[in-house]
Amino acid sequence: MHLKKIWAVIYAVMLAAFSTFVLLDAFVIPKDRIKADEPIQSQEITDESIEAKAEAVITENSYKDDKISITISELREYDTSIYVADIQLADASYLRAGLADGTFGRNVTEVTSQIAQDSNAILAINGDFYGFRNKGYVMRNGYLYRETAQQGRQGNSRQEDLVIYEDGHMDVIEENEVAAQTLKDSGASQIFSFGPGLIKNGNITVDENSEVEQSMQSNPRTAIGMITPLHYIMAVSDGRTEASEGLTLYQLAQIMKGQDCVTAYNLDGGGSSTMWFNGEVVNKPTSYGSKISERAVSDIVYIGR
């Protein structure tokens, strides 16, 4: 009997250790790291970027130089604070993606503000948190890091991705319909695989019952959209606090439609939702319950020189 108790204790300890390792392996231990050395990613502070910023007209909620124009406004809809950045670019190369620690890999994370500073960004929002998954297309700044398709959320096959092309136009595609390499060959520069798409060809593509997997209906949200090629909208909402309830996907789509987007896409939300501009976090991220703080993420979408 005494021996059985010893073996029971040993088994319990081993099971706990294994469970801990599985959790660490899934969510904490960095792996599959690839240094972001693609040629069109520019995270260095260049003489051109320094000169452009020095000559730019910058206010608390706007930035304008000869290539980039950004205006940020705050809306109050659905008992929620929503921060909207209207962006016009001379070239799509100023719309970029940044990786935590400048590295692609599972569980490689930094807060949005840190990645933005390291990327010499002017404006940034959190991306799709690709590192939380081991499938789903990942292309950043013309470099295809992952081309393994994932099954769509909620058990269907419609995993929707946002593709941004070198000429500046955006499209929402389904991974089961087109290979990542085909998208790259067609001129894609960025592919984000969170979703779902919110607006396609000017039409809202979610309804009042749409939601991402394991998510509450009202959440902090992050979205990106296109009015015309080189004219974009980035939107981030607060949520989960007494001051801001948060948005459903349908409400988020309506916000983007109200900004005249003909294409719009849902990025990672919840505690990840962060907008950063000119050295400051614009919104009030809630990464731990209702505590105001940034969550560490895999990647950002940003505007920079």
Side-chain angles (χ1 to χ4, degrees), residues 83-94:
Y83 308 87
V84 176
D86 187 298
I87 304 153
Q88 297 188 60
L89 306 176
D91 189 276
S93 64
Y94 300 115

Side-chain angles (χ1 to χ4, degrees), residues 166-187:
E166 293 172 353
D167 65 0
H169 83 273
M170 294 181 175
D171 194 14
V172 177
I173 62 92
E174 296 180 20
E175 287 189 353
N176 66 325
E177 293 184 348
V178 58
Q181 185 62 48
T182 300
L183 294 170
K184 180 177 181 179
D185 294 342
S186 299

Side-chain angles (χ1 to χ4, degrees), residues 229-285:
L230 305 182
H231 189 179
Y232 307 109
I233 295 291
M234 293 181 180
V236 168
S237 80
D238 291 333
R240 301 178 184 172
T241 68
E242 292 183 359
S244 286
E245 182 176 339
L247 302 176
T248 66
L249 285 178
Y250 183 67
Q251 289 168 342
L252 180 62
Q254 288 182 310
I255 294 296
M256 300 301 280
K257 180 75 172 177
Q259 297 296 316
D260 297 325
C261 291
V262 298
T263 303
Y265 187 78
N266 179 60
L267 292 167
D268 186 25
S272 299
S273 289
T274 305
M275 178 179 286
W276 180 95
F277 174 68
N278 197 32
E280 301 290 340
V281 175
V282 175
N283 67 311
K284 297 177 177 61

Side-chain angles (χ1 to χ4, degrees), residues 268-303:
D268 186 25
S272 299
S273 289
T274 305
M275 178 179 286
W276 180 95
F277 174 68
N278 197 32
E280 301 290 340
V281 175
V282 175
N283 67 311
K284 297 177 177 61
T286 50
S287 58
Y288 303 101
S290 60
K291 181 181 178 181
I292 306 302
S293 63
E294 290 184 75
R295 173 193 287 171
V297 296
S298 301
D299 60 311
I300 64 170
V301 189
Y302 74 94
I303 306 299

Side-chain angles (χ1 to χ4, degrees), residues 9 18 32 37 51 67 72 75 84 102 125-126 202 243 247 293:
V9 170
F18 176 76
D32 303 325
D37 58 358
E51 183 178 352
K67 304 292 185 182
I72 298 174
L75 308 179
V84 176
I125 56 174
N126 62 286
L247 302 176
S293 63

Side-chain angles (χ1 to χ4, degrees), residues 47-58:
D47 291 341
E48 178 190 0
S49 65
I50 293 173
E51 183 178 352
K53 286 187 176 182
E55 296 179 353
V57 177
I58 304 173

